[in-house]
Each structure stands twice: as C-alpha cells, then as structure tokens.
Amino acid sequence: MNDVEGALEPRLTIGSEQLALLEQLSNTIGVSGHEDAVRSLVIEKIRSRVDDLQVDTMGNVLAACRGTTAERVKVMLAAHMDEVGFIITADEGGGLYRIERVGGLVTNWLAGKVVSVGRETLPGFIGTVPIHLLDESDRGRAVSMKQLRVNLGAQGAGRVSLGEVGTYATRFKVSSNTIFGKALDDRLGVATLIELINHAPANIDLLAAFTVQEELGLRGAGIAAYKMTPDLAIAVDSTPAYDLPVWDGSENTRWNSRLDDGPAIYVADRGTISDPRLVRHLVQAAEATGLPYQLRQPGGGGTDAGAIHRQRDGIPSVSVSVPGRYAHTPVMVARISDWQATVNLLYLALQRMDRTILDRSDDDYR
Amino acid sequence: MTIVDSLNGDTVENIKGLLRELVQIPAPAGHEGRVRQAIQEIITPHVDSIKVDALGNLIARKGRKAADGRHILLSAHMDEIGVIATHIDANGFVRFTSVGALFLRYLPGGHVRFLDGARGLVGVNIEPGQTKFPSMEQMFLDVGASNRQDCPVQVGDLAVFDRPMLEIGNRVVGKSLDNRTGVAVLIEVIRSLGESPHTFTFVFSVQEELSRQGAMTAAFASDAEMAIAVDVTTSGDTPQAARMAVSLGGGPAIKVRDQGMIADARIVRWMADSAEQAGIPHQYEVLELGTTDAQMIQVAREGIPSGCLSIPLRYLHSPAEMVDLNDLAQTYALLTRLLTGKAAF
Amino acid sequence: MATDPTMLNLNEYLTAMLSLPGIPGNEAPVRDMLARVWSPFVDEVSSSRLGSLHAIKHGGGAEPRRRVMVTAHMDGVGMMVTEIIDGFIRFTDVGSLDARVLPGQEVTVHGRRDVPGVIVDPGERLLPADLDGRAAPMRYLFIDTGLTPDALTAAVQVGDPISYALQPLALDGDWLLGHTLDNRASLAAISICLEQLRDVPHDWDVWCVATVQEETTHAGAMTSAYTIQPDMAIVLDVTYGRTGENHDPSTFPLGEGPTLGIGPNIHPVLHQRFKRLAGDLEIPYQIEVLPGNSLTDAHALQVVAGGIPCMVIGIPLLNMHTPVEVAAVKDIQQTGYLVARWIEALGKNIVEPLLAEEPA
C-alpha cells in the first residue's frame, strides 16, 4: 500500500523504446547553428502526434498539441536541440585543420579524442605531442585551442570547408541505471518533450519548442516564445551535477545538482529568478505524487527560461533539468531513474495545471 | 541648503515615514510580493486603475490626456539585492550566492533576514597570510544552527540585509534605500499629484537588480510616449571616491548617460529647464558603472524616449546606504513639477 | 612493393588485438591471442617465467644453429586503481601518460569483473585554486563508472588494472587509429613476418618474442634474452609520427616506411646491412637517430649476458601513449616484410662482422 496521494496515477516509463530514441538523439550531431540533423529527427518523431508544426526562421521547431477542456492554460515547454562543439577555421593542408569552439566546450578535454567532422561526419582525431617529446616546462601546461588540430588522416586534405562544424564521436552507452553519451545536454530535454507530446494532457495547450542556439546565449528560445505567446513556460534542460569529492576531502559545497536526487528545479540561476508560483507548483506536484526532486543550487548557469521570461509583456517561467555530470565534454553521465522522474514530474505537474496557477498570492515558493 | 518654499512642510516627514515602512519589507529580486502589496495598499486610492502583471510588476494608470498632454511612464523598482542559500553544510552553516550585484566588501559581520523570518550573520574565514579580500566561497551565514538537521534554512531560500533605518543629521542610513527612496518619492508624488494635462502609467517594477526584466516587459505592454525612471545614483563626494560630479545634498541628479543608455536629450533639457525655472537645485549625472530601468524602457517595441531622475546615494548596495533628506524633497519637487507642467515634447 | 596482404587480414586482426587490454604486468589477453595467431606458423610456443611469449620456428641450418630473436613488447600503457572514494576511482598511470589527454577517455577497470568507466576532470570548482591554468594533474582525476558506491566497492579494489577502451577506427588513407598501437603495431608486423616465412627455407632458428613490462622496466626482454641467448636481436617498436607543423627531427611521417635506427644501442653493421637490404628490395625506409638510450627493449637487450647485437626498427606512430594512436597500415606491412627477407638472407657470413671491432 502506498498512501501518497496520486501514487496510483498513471506513470510514464523509460523503457527500451525511449532509450533507443535518446541514443539516436545523442549520437546525432547538432552543433549550435547547425541543428539540421537533430531537427529532422525531431520532426520525424513528432509529425504525426501534433496539431501544428512549424519551423521558424532560425530553425526552431514549434509544435502544438491542443487540449480539449475549456479554459486551457497555454504552456510552453522548451528544450534546446543544439550542442557545443567546434568549427573549422583554417585548412593547414595534409588533413590538418584549425578549430575554434562553438559554445562553452570545455577545452581541456579535447586533446586525444576521436571526433566527427563536417556534413559527411568524417572520422578524425585531435592529436597531441607525445609526452616523451615534451619539454619539462610544458608538461601539465593546459593545452590551448591554438595548439590543437583536427586530423582527418592522410587523405583528409580538402575534405571539409571552413565553417563546417564537428564534435566528439562518442557513442551512446547504457550500463544498468546509467547513461553515458555526448550532448545529453540537452537531448535529454528533447527526448523528454517528445515523450510528453506522445502523452499530451487534455487540460492544457502544450506548446513544444525545440530550440536552436541555446549554447550561444539562449538565442532561439526568445523568438520562439515571442511567437508562441504562452501563459507560462518551462525550460526542460540538463544541469551539471558536480557531486564529486573535493580534491582535499573537504565538504563539497558547490555541487550544483546531484545524480539520483531526481529532477532539479531551478529557484535562481545567473540571470533568472524562477517564478515562485511555478516553483511551488512543481514542488507540490512532486510531493503529492511521491516523486523525488531537488532544488538546483542557486547561482550561475542559465537555460532557455532566461530568454523566454522577458519576452513581450513577461512570461512566468521556470526550469526543470535532468542532472548530468560533465556537461560540454565528450561524455556526460546521467541516470535513467532521474530522467524518468523528470518526465513524470512534468507529466503530472502539467495535468494539475489550470489558470489559478497564475493567481498572485505570495512570492515565497515554499 | 534649504527646501524650496513651495514644498509642503510635511513632505519630508511623509517620505521619511514611507521609507521607514518600506525598507523593513524584504523584497529580493524576483520575490517582490510583500513590498508590492504594501505599495498597492497605499496608492490604490490615488490612481484610476491598478494591476499586477505576469512577472509581478505593479502597474497603475492615472489621468486623462488633454490636447497638449502626453502619456508618460514612470518607473521605480521595488526589488533589492540579496543572497540565496546554495548549501547547508554538516555543521549547519549556510553557504550562499548573490542575487543582484552584491559587493563582498560589505558582507562580513552583516546581518541578514530570510523571507520566512530566519536571521543570520555573515561569517568569514581568512587564511593565515591572506592578503586578498576573502571570496564568497570563504563566507557563510551563521543562522544559529549546529547541524544540517536543525538548520532553519534550506537551499534556495532568499535573504536580504537586516538593519533598521537610522537618521544621522539630515541624512538617512539604511538597507535597500536603492530603490525604496525612489519608490517613496514616487508614492508621495502620486499621493499629492494635482491637475495635469497628462496621463500616467506608474510602474513599480521587479527584477531591476538582475537585468531589468520588469521594466522591459512593462514597457512592452505600454503605449507611453515618454518615460522617466526614478532611481538612485552613486556620488563622488567621499574620501578617494572615483571621480563623479554628484554629491549628496546637491539635489536630484539629471541623468545624461550611464553605462547602459544615453538619456533622451529633450528629456534632459526638460528636466534642467524645469528645475531652473523653479529654483530647484540639481546636478547632472554621468554614471560609468550601472544603469536603470530606463535602459530597457527606451528600447521597448518601437522605442520610448526616456530619462532618469536620480537620487544621490553613498555606499551603494551596502547594508548602510545613505541619502540626504533634502535630495529626496527636491526630487519630489522636481518630479511633481515635471508631471504637472508642459511635457518635453 | 611485393607484400601480399591477402594472407592475413591485417586490419581485422589488428582491430581485434587493439580491442584487448594489456597493461604492464597484465598482458595475458594479448599473449593468449598471439599464441593462437602465431601457432600455425611456428614449431613451438611457450611462455617465459615472467609471462613473455616465445614462439620458435626452427631453421634448416646445421646444429648448433644460430638464433635470431625478433621481439616486440606486448604490454601497453595503462592505469591502476589507487583509491576508491564516494563511488569514484582515483588512479595512477602504469607507463607514462600525459594527464592532459585523459579527461573523457573511455576505460575498462579490470576488477572482479570488467567495469566500464570514463575518466573525468572534476572541474575548477572542486580543484585547488592555485592550478593557475595548468591542467589538472592525474592525482585529481577520477574514473566515473556510473555504479553506486556499494556496487563499485563490490566490483573494484585498489590495485586493479585499468585499460583504455576506445574502439579502433579506420581512417582515410590506410591509417588505423586505436589505443596500444604502441606496440601492437609491431606485434602485427611480426605476424606478417611469420606468415611471409611460412614456406620459406631459412638457416637460423627464429625466436619471436612478445615481451612483458617494457613500458616500466624492460623486464620481459632482459629475461627472455637471457633464456634464449640469441646471436642477434631485432627489436620492433613504434616511433614518433610527424604531423604538419611538427618538424622535430625525432619525428617521421606516416606511410613512408619503417625507420632504421642508428645509435649506441644498435650494432652499426646491422644498421648498414638492413639499409642495404631495404634498398635492394625497394622498401622505403627512414633513418632514425637514437642517441643514448633508445627507449626500446634494445637498451636492455644489448647488455644481457655476454652482449647481444641489436637492431631497432620503428613504425611511425602519432599521439603515442594516448588512446588515439595512429599508424599507417602500409608501414606495418613493410616492416614485417623487411624482417622476413632479412631472416631468409641470414647465412653464415653475418655473425663474424658483428664481432669485429670496426664495421665492415
């Protein structure tokens, strides 16, 4: 027996079908500004499930699933399709290319990795001077972008053009409850939105925005929100989990979020204070249904909500993220259970939404 | 300096009374509900309509435009800087980060109050031999707890400086005078506003201390023809202060430019001419660090010509900000004159 | 070029070998595979006391027959568990690794069972503030296995070996990418050599040796050489590949043939004869100067027992000691072919000059 109210409500499950979708999304390359492949995949998956589908001038996918009840609240859900990566800036001949980063790629993970480059997703690698040939003074010195080259092999000369992009060639992997993969930021969000479209609640108009260029400063979400004019918005993203030991064994006070603690609800990030009414709604939905949740550590970072909430005459916004370690590196680590709880928290919270959610009473989220 | 004759003798007392009430209401950016409620109660009898918008701005309308009148938007932000809890450690100490531009130098030893009433003080750990000012990571809030379980604060809770208002000579010292002074002056203007050819939108805005999202969205929703922000500015009259031609007691500062905007020249001239005609002391403000709601209002939709009337203030964003009561009164006087006379264009 | 790559599917074989772990002291999986692959080509296969693989192909010469030792090390650089903390693994390197290439690498932790994981840099906020732009040193890196702390401690303990797990990858232009091409590329070359010698008569006994623990102490090579007491040793190892801007004279372009080493660890007559043979066979080669310690097993072999004349042949390799080591398949084939022809040509007249004071 479970006496938690709502414990018997239908739940969504992350099974092999959902993991296969996430695998496909994770392995697809969609560096900011070049989201085409991800966009095609998203459209293929949702086309038959939505009432309206548009691609806007920047490449955002704007979809709508209209509810059936009266007095529906218009809820925008945003997940960004793009990922960080690199862009080819010079062809040095012999299959060697210089690169610059696109978005906040963590540069000290680049050396010695296999990458996929250009429209043809050519295999290549980022080489390094062998440790044996390094001067003592260079050992341990952080490698700068200037020193790094993408190498496409003996026949690689002229195979890609300046301006083409690439990223890590990491292959998605599942090990019991754990997911390893690139671009889980924010393909986890994209997969979540697709799952919610497949189970769209009748009591709201679900406006799903699959956005572009989030990693370049939330550029796609703003215009998406302007067009959609929702009553409120939820950015669905992935947030870093820094739940590792501190080098000197002291207490970790800067964990941001933690794996296994469930969806991370944002109270505040670098520039956005979440709407307290929406924070409260999510917290109450989680508590009423016995779902785990965590409040993301307030502070830096940002999501599409940062651009959405200031559109037009203001759109109350909040963010919910699946915690994931090592964002913007070749491989992120996340938990299937956290993802499933995130999908369900949104699913159940959306079902509990009506216009009264926007009644102003007090601003304390607790 | 004396207050100009036209002032009602009660004005200073009225503004001071408002300030005393307003500064003790915690309203960190994004959580302005309580101060908004207080303002709403005070001004509702004096305006034609009033509402709260999606982000929490309090927006009041007043007046009917005469033939030569304009629709003028006035904005004063309600929010203040604060801190937000990021971690409760094993010994019950609270780690935190800033909400808005907090200056670390003002924190150690300060008191804070959380929205639910919990109180704490800012402690700091300094390494032996450390010469740099401690970082935020070296600071913590002591809320009287001795372990995580008995800590009254949880991650995500917000707090503001906790300090009663103090009068020193003709000056007032307190927390959140940025921008409760602007709010108090604007309330007093609204309460006492006489005949005017103009129609007004008064915005008590949210989230100015973040990136002025409140003013941005309120301006989007408005069809005002010009706008004035009422806010504070820093001064250059303390020992070794960065050079700035604004002093406490010198009267309202007419903003010419700040870090985020160049004020509309017609509005600057309008403010200056009006002050001169009325014999109201005033100064010109060129602020190199910081900006106000006017920055956002100016570029809303097709653009709203904007200026800003600033109240000189020392020790910005500290728990002990200082303003001069004469400056408040003169700002009130100039603002009243602007709103009841002929508009800038 | 006269090699016949059709006999042994080199790519397939190398790929299989590159997917095996084999850090110093834990070379068994590679040894087992090599024993399987080499057996059909040799008369005897055995293992040394330290675990090196000995494969003997008898020559046709009169007893006592001369012995040539063809050797390549089968260990690869790797890592080892030093601490388990809160569900994360701390580790150190076995053989020298550049910590800067480690974050993001897929690895296998060989615990009670094989546990997949990834090397991670915990990031600025969890590291000392005084790193000042230097990369996080290895002692601050972790391996994240995705396992809960309990599951991890049940599967892994301090001292467990860790190997790279990156899957090999064929690149354009006959290049192959994979971890531990140092020195599996040379083992592949020996395989090709054995294949080439299959029906070819030769006088000398050929001892093909896959040694252990080169990356740490050369222990395998020294001890095997003592057992075998060869008349000559040919050491196959990788050498530094060259890319565009890097014109360090100790680097060599890929695809332009193996390097023939010259320097104090190498017998000058062997060097000269190899050069002549390669020239006669029109096999491209490059000259590699190895001043002082050659950093190969030859350094140890040269002074085993009464001394062994050594030759060092190198296969150019990019990104040495990283999981993205890259070699040209053609260089590997040509190395095997050259050594086979050398063995075929070994007659009675080679040993005497090796004992002379001055090269002929």
Side-chain angles (χ1 to χ4, degrees):
Chain A
M1 280 297 289
N2 190 331
D3 56 4
V4 177
E5 179 235 326
L8 296 176
E9 286 176 83
R11 299 291 168 98
L12 304 179
T13 308
I14 300 303
S16 54
E17 189 187 325
Q18 289 74 16
L19 285 169
L21 169 67
L22 183 62
E23 172 165 15
Q24 226 180 333
L25 286 165
S26 168
N27 287 343
T28 303
I29 294 180
V31 177
S32 306
H34 297 76
E35 298 88 355
D36 319 49
V38 181
R39 179 165 48 246
S40 304
L41 187 56
V42 166
I43 290 172
E44 177 200 318
K45 299 290 177 193
I46 66 171
R47 187 189 291 281
S48 63
R49 319 288 305 216
V50 297
D51 300 314
D52 187 33
L53 184 63
Q54 303 175 39
V55 176
D56 73 10
T57 178
M58 275 185 84
N60 293 307
V61 176
L62 310 180
C65 297
R66 273 181 279 282
T68 49
T69 61
E71 288 287 297
R72 299 185 301 275
V73 61
K74 279 161 58 180
V75 182
M76 174 179 180
L77 296 183
H80 66 91
M81 297 187 288
D82 63 315
E83 68 189 286
V84 298
F86 56 79
I87 186 163
I88 304 287
T89 57
D91 180 345
E92 295 190 332
L96 289 179
Y97 298 87
R98 280 191 67 160
I99 55 171
E100 286 292 338
R101 56 191 194 142
V102 176
L105 190 69
V106 182
T107 52
N108 60 351
W109 292 53
L110 275 167
K113 301 297 165 332
V114 177
V115 294
S116 271
V117 188
R119 273 179 277 280
E120 298 175 61
T121 59
L122 299 170
F125 61 91
I126 296 176
T128 164
V129 176
I131 186 167
H132 323 69
L133 299 183
L134 282 177
D135 291 338
E136 192 58 42
S137 62
D138 285 337
R139 290 200 180 190
R141 178 172 295 168
V143 187
S144 75
M145 290 300 286
K146 262 189 211 147
Q147 298 167 279
L148 293 173
R149 298 290 180 280
V150 163
N151 193 327
L152 294 185
Q155 313 283 307
R159 293 292 302 277
V160 294
S161 315
L162 304 193
E164 288 195 65
V165 295
T167 188
Y168 297 111
T170 314
R171 304 311 289 179
F172 183 87
K173 194 164 71 182
V174 172
S175 168
S176 63
N177 186 29
T178 301
I179 304 165
F180 297 85
K182 75 161 184 69
L184 296 183
D185 170 12
D186 181 26
R187 304 294 153 72
L188 274 167
V190 169
T192 301
L193 254 60
I194 293 174
E195 191 63 7
L196 291 170
I197 285 173
N198 286 335
H199 301 90
N203 59 308
I204 61 164
D205 282 344
L206 175 64
L207 308 176
F210 298 89
T211 63
V212 297
Q213 298 195 22
E214 192 267 356
E215 300 290 1
L216 298 182
L218 324 177
R219 300 184 54 76
I223 65 167
Y226 186 95
K227 217 166 201 172
M228 287 179 147
T229 63
D231 295 316
L232 62 101
I234 305 175
V236 184
D237 209 327
S238 164
T239 193
Y242 298 112
D243 54 346
L244 287 82
V246 182
W247 68 280
D248 59 357
S250 58
E251 182 173 332
N252 183 348
T253 61
R254 304 177 67 199
W255 35 271
N256 192 60
S257 70
R258 298 184 177 103
L259 259 52
D260 298 317
D261 282 0
I265 300 170
Y266 286 52
V267 177
D269 63 27
R270 186 176 49 226
T272 312
I273 304 287
S274 297
D275 193 290
R277 297 166 296 182
L278 301 184
V279 175
R280 189 170 48 221
H281 181 78
L282 290 168
V283 166
Q284 285 173 352
E287 283 174 353
T289 56
L291 282 169
Y293 73 94
Q294 54 187 319
L295 294 179
R296 175 187 170 276
Q297 219 178 9
T303 72
D304 275 342
I308 295 168
H309 81 283
R310 59 183 72 195
Q311 284 301 313
R312 292 191 179 257
D313 53 349
I315 299 168
S317 302
V318 69
S319 303
V320 179
S321 282
V322 184
R325 294 183 186 137
Y326 327 121
H328 299 193
T329 77
V331 57
M332 284 187 67
V333 173
R335 299 273 198 252
I336 295 172
S337 51
D338 287 331
W339 181 29
Q340 179 166 293
T342 306
V343 170
N344 277 305
L345 173 59
L346 289 166
Y347 179 60
L348 298 172
L350 291 176
Q351 289 177 9
R352 290 169 152 69
M353 267 185 191
D354 58 37
R355 296 216 148 266
T356 60
I357 192 179
L358 293 175
D359 288 348
R360 280 270 169 205
S361 46
D362 68 275
D363 281 341
D364 204 347
Y365 67 84
R366 274 162 81 175
Chain B
M1 193 157 313
T2 54
I3 298 166
V4 289
D5 302 337
S6 64
L7 279 181
N8 178 332
D10 294 335
T11 299
V12 170
E13 282 310 311
N14 287 348
I15 294 175
K16 212 158 67 181
L18 279 169
L19 257 186
R20 189 169 284 118
E21 182 187 344
L22 291 171
V23 298
Q24 60 186 357
I25 304 174
H31 297 253
E32 299 86 352
R34 297 173 201 195
V35 77
R36 178 177 58 237
Q37 219 162 355
I39 298 168
Q40 190 166 3
E41 274 166 30
I42 300 169
I43 67 168
T44 298
H46 305 283
V47 295
D48 300 339
S49 68
I50 192 159
K51 67 162 187 174
V52 178
D53 78 0
L55 291 198
N57 292 307
L58 181 65
I59 300 176
R61 295 290 297 258
K62 184 179 173 71
R64 188 179 300 156
K65 206 158 76 168
D68 58 345
R70 293 285 180 269
H71 179 180
I72 304 174
L73 184 151
L74 288 110
S75 175
H77 72 87
M78 304 182 283
D79 62 315
E80 64 189 292
I81 56 168
V83 298
I84 185 165
T86 59
H87 179 77
I88 316 301
D89 76 18
N91 298 318
F93 293 102
V94 177
R95 309 302 167 94
F96 63 92
T97 189
S98 58
V99 175
L102 210 55
F103 298 129
L104 293 180
R105 62 179 178 275
Y106 292 133
L107 295 186
H111 294 191
V112 299
R113 182 151 59 108
F114 284 85
L115 291 179
D116 67 358
R119 295 180 124 99
L121 62 84
V122 184
V124 61
N125 167 51
I126 298 174
E127 297 293 322
Q130 178 173 344
T131 52
K132 274 203 224 155
F133 198 84
S135 66
M136 192 144 18
E137 283 67 44
Q138 291 179 292
M139 299 183 191
F140 50 84
L141 305 178
D142 188 335
V143 293
S146 49
N147 56 54
R148 199 173 278 141
Q149 289 67 41
D150 74 4
C151 183
V153 173
Q154 74 174 37
V155 169
D157 286 358
L158 291 110
V160 296
F161 290 129
D162 187 17
R163 189 177 281 202
M165 197 171 96
L166 176 71
E167 283 182 66
I168 303 178
N170 199 36
R171 288 169 179 168
V172 166
V173 175
K175 65 167 268 283
S176 70
L177 295 185
D178 170 10
N179 182 36
R180 301 293 152 73
T181 52
V183 169
V185 167
L186 189 57
I187 290 175
E188 189 57 19
V189 168
I190 293 169
R191 285 204 296 208
S192 63
L193 197 63
E195 280 296 300
S196 167
H198 310 303
T199 181
F200 301 104
T201 296
F202 299 110
V203 177
F204 292 91
S205 64
V206 296
Q207 302 190 25
E208 193 273 348
E209 298 294 358
L210 297 176
S211 39
R212 298 156 295 289
Q213 293 98 317
M216 179 182 184
T217 54
F220 183 93
S222 145
D223 55 356
E225 294 157 285
M226 65 180 72
I228 300 172
V230 185
D231 207 332
V232 300
T233 189
T234 52
S235 71
D237 58 351
T238 51
Q240 281 107 47
R243 301 180 72 89
M244 185 177 181
V246 172
S247 307
L248 251 60
I254 297 169
K255 189 184 295 287
V256 180
R257 67 163 293 189
D258 63 24
Q259 202 181 7
M261 75 174 302
I262 293 174
D264 190 279
R266 295 164 294 183
I267 291 178
V268 172
R269 201 175 321 119
W270 176 44
M271 290 174 167
D273 290 350
S274 302
E276 264 158 37
Q277 282 158 19
I280 298 172
H282 58 280
Q283 35 195 347
Y284 295 98
E285 175 200 359
V286 176
L287 178 66
E288 297 186 70
L289 273 177
T291 187
T292 72
D293 277 350
Q295 176 206 23
M296 290 300 187
I297 299 168
Q298 193 178 39
V299 294
R301 290 194 190 250
E302 67 261 49
I304 303 173
S306 300
C308 176
L309 214 49
S310 298
I311 298 160
L313 176 144
R314 288 178 185 164
Y315 323 118
L316 181 85
H317 288 193
S318 81
E321 297 174 327
M322 176 188 276
V323 296
D324 189 297
L325 286 169
N326 276 355
D327 289 337
L328 301 185
Q330 304 290 10
T331 305
Y332 164 85
L334 178 52
L335 204 50
T336 300
R337 191 172 170 88
L338 290 170
L339 301 195
T340 50
K342 194 172 176 317
F345 48 84
Chain C
M1 263 297 294
T3 53
D4 180 6
T6 55
M7 294 168 68
L8 190 115
N9 188 330
L10 185 60
N11 267 337
E12 204 172 282
Y13 159 59
L14 249 179
T15 300
M17 189 157 53
L18 291 178
S19 307
L20 295 174
I23 78 165
N26 293 272
E27 299 89 349
V30 191
R31 182 174 59 240
D32 295 347
M33 175 172 178
L34 284 174
R36 263 197 323 277
V37 175
W38 289 356
S39 295
F41 300 107
V42 298
D43 301 309
E44 285 173 44
V45 172
S46 63
S47 184
S48 81
R49 286 194 192 174
L50 293 196
S52 294
L53 181 72
H54 295 179
I56 308 150
K57 184 171 191 294
H58 295 301
E63 297 274 3
R65 278 191 296 276
R66 301 283 186 185
R67 292 174 172 184
V68 56
M69 173 174 171
V70 182
T71 180
H73 68 88
M74 63 179 165
D75 59 319
V77 289
M79 294 143 278
M80 189 169 274
V81 178
T82 57
E83 187 185 1
I84 298 170
I85 170 173
D86 299 346
F88 294 88
I89 292 171
R90 281 210 171 99
F91 62 95
T92 187
D93 55 351
V94 184
S96 57
L97 294 188
D98 186 345
R100 300 176 304 171
V101 306
L102 295 181
Q105 302 296 0
E106 293 174 42
V107 295
T108 304
V109 184
H110 305 285
R112 275 172 208 101
R113 60 184 173 87
D114 280 358
V115 177
V118 59
I119 300 176
V120 302
D121 176 339
E124 219 175 317
R125 64 171 66 196
L126 303 179
L127 291 174
D130 57 6
L131 280 180
D132 281 333
R134 296 185 76 79
M138 203 173 307
R139 65 180 180 279
Y140 294 146
L141 303 181
F142 290 110
I143 291 169
D144 189 341
T145 59
L147 295 179
T148 60
D150 286 347
L152 182 64
T153 37
V156 173
Q157 65 187 31
V158 169
D160 284 346
I162 303 159
S163 58
Y164 289 134
L166 184 76
Q167 286 302 302
L169 177 71
L171 293 166
D172 269 4
D174 197 31
W175 284 11
L176 190 67
L177 176 152
H179 70 78
T180 335
L181 270 169
D182 170 8
N183 191 23
R184 312 260 163 100
S186 300
L187 293 168
I190 294 180
S191 310
I192 288 174
C193 166
L194 282 173
E195 199 180 32
Q196 288 280 325
L197 290 175
R198 181 169 230 170
D199 299 313
V200 175
H202 51 89
D203 286 355
W204 290 33
D205 282 348
V206 181
W207 288 67
C208 291
V209 179
T211 62
V212 296
Q213 300 180 41
E214 187 268 357
E215 297 289 1
T216 46
T217 59
H218 302 296
M222 276 192 282
T223 51
S224 286
Y226 195 87
T227 305
I228 300 165
Q229 304 268 340
D231 298 279
M232 167 193 306
I234 301 167
V235 174
L236 306 188
D237 210 333
V238 290
T239 188
Y240 310 114
R242 176 179 297 172
T243 51
E245 282 188 332
N246 184 358
H247 291 132
D248 187 318
S250 53
T251 64
F252 302 89
L254 270 57
E256 298 186 11
T259 64
L260 303 180
I262 182 154
N265 288 165
I266 291 144
H267 199 290
V269 173
L270 289 182
H271 177 82
Q272 283 190 351
R273 296 285 174 91
F274 259 99
K275 212 159 66 177
R276 194 186 304 158
L277 178 66
D280 291 347
L281 295 169
E282 294 182 7
I283 295 176
Y285 64 90
Q286 316 183 58
I287 302 294
E288 177 175 17
V289 179
L290 296 166
N293 185 343
S294 63
L295 297 178
T296 69
D297 273 343
H299 184 69
L301 289 180
Q302 190 179 31
V303 294
V304 166
I308 301 168
C310 290
M311 176 62 191
V312 173
I313 301 179
I315 298 168
L317 180 82
L318 297 177
N319 312 321
M320 196 182 291
H321 285 198
T322 77
V324 293
E325 292 179 332
V326 176
V329 173
K330 198 160 58 177
D331 291 337
I332 298 172
Q333 288 168 334
Q334 278 162 338
T335 303
Y337 181 68
L338 176 63
V339 175
R341 297 288 81 83
W342 172 266
I343 291 168
E344 194 183 350
L346 279 175
K348 296 171 186 62
N349 59 346
I350 182 75
V351 178
E352 286 65 31
L354 297 180
L355 300 171
E357 293 281 317
E358 296 294 322

